[in-house]
Amino acid sequence: MHSGPGPQTSARTGTRWTIALYIRDALGLPFSPDMPRLAPAIRQNANEEADPPVTESGWAEWLDRLVEGTPGSLLRPDHDPGLLTWYDRLELEARDWEGRAAQPGRYESSLVPRLLREAKSSGVQGMVHETEFVPVEGRWHLSLRPDLLLVSVATWNDAEEMDRILEPLIRSALGLSRPSSGD
């Protein structure tokens, strides 16, 4: 998206999220309406009698850790032995699958550089917003926290939709006011 002195945004594949969702889909873990299934669908590797078992609390804690972690970082679920075993079994398979499934276009925005220039003139510096794209079904996005957005590849490939989603998030992260209706 944009890099250089002053405020910055970045975008990358959401490998850590793809791995987590791959494990979720492979094990048939409880489906979250907030995060669609991977697309194309993957084969299920285990049933409810997964060996070793994965606890719902262990799964929920790992998702919380992923939300809180540094974007792009891989956080192994070392707090849950069953989940860690499945992570070790499926990580490389998930990475290979992501390499074939996540084929994003190049999102070009005139809005984001304009917002960053506006903030730079106010003295804002450093990373202000990160976007991670994951190969899930359809058009989808989820703001995990003020500076982190997950989007589907389909959403990422629609520049108008990305600008619509990112504008309020980046304005908030930069401390910029909303545009007037005449803008």
Side-chain angles (χ1 to χ4, degrees):
M1 290 224 258
H2 180 274
S3 62
Q8 299 177 30
T9 60
S10 73
R12 65 172 53 94
T13 60
T15 298
R16 66 194 179 136
W17 287 100
T18 299
I19 292 170
L21 296 176
Y22 194 93
I23 292 168
R24 178 201 66 186
D25 290 359
L27 299 180
L29 294 173
F31 180 74
S32 167
D34 293 337
M35 293 186 172
R37 296 206 179 275
L38 294 170
I42 63 163
R43 68 180 169 83
Q44 194 165 350
N45 288 332
N47 58 28
E48 292 179 11
E49 302 294 320
D51 181 31
V54 174
T55 65
E56 283 191 43
S57 62
W59 171 248
E61 183 177 337
W62 189 36
L63 292 181
D64 288 344
R65 287 179 178 195
L66 290 175
V67 169
E68 294 167 5
T70 304
S73 64
L74 290 178
L75 298 171
R76 295 168 49 85
D78 54 11
H79 64 285
D80 183 289
L83 189 53
L84 181 59
T85 297
W86 282 106
Y87 179 94
D88 290 341
R89 288 180 186 171
L90 297 174
E91 178 193 6
L92 290 177
E93 186 177 318
R95 286 174 180 270
D96 289 344
W97 180 89
E98 180 187 50
R100 294 185 307 274
Q103 300 297 321
R106 183 154 172 85
Y107 163 52
E108 294 289 336
S109 172
S110 59
L111 171 76
V112 173
R114 182 171 44 85
L115 292 174
L116 294 176
R117 282 191 303 274
E118 186 179 336
K120 183 178 180 180
S121 68
S122 301
V124 176
Q125 301 243 346
M127 182 61 63
V128 295
H129 197 273
E130 305 219 31
T131 301
E132 294 187 27
F133 47 87
V134 291
V136 296
E137 295 174 339
R139 293 181 183 273
W140 168 84
H141 70 279
L142 179 63
S143 183
L144 295 172
R145 53 183 208 226
D147 64 338
L148 179 60
L149 174 70
L150 288 183
V151 298
S152 67
V153 172
T155 299
W156 174 259
N157 289 338
D158 184 332
E160 187 175 303
E161 186 172 4
M162 282 300 299
D163 280 351
R164 181 186 58 75
I165 294 166
L166 280 174
E167 182 173 18
L169 298 172
I170 292 176
R171 281 188 177 283
S172 176
L174 294 170
L176 300 174
S177 62
R178 309 257 321 136
S180 65
S181 59
D183 286 355

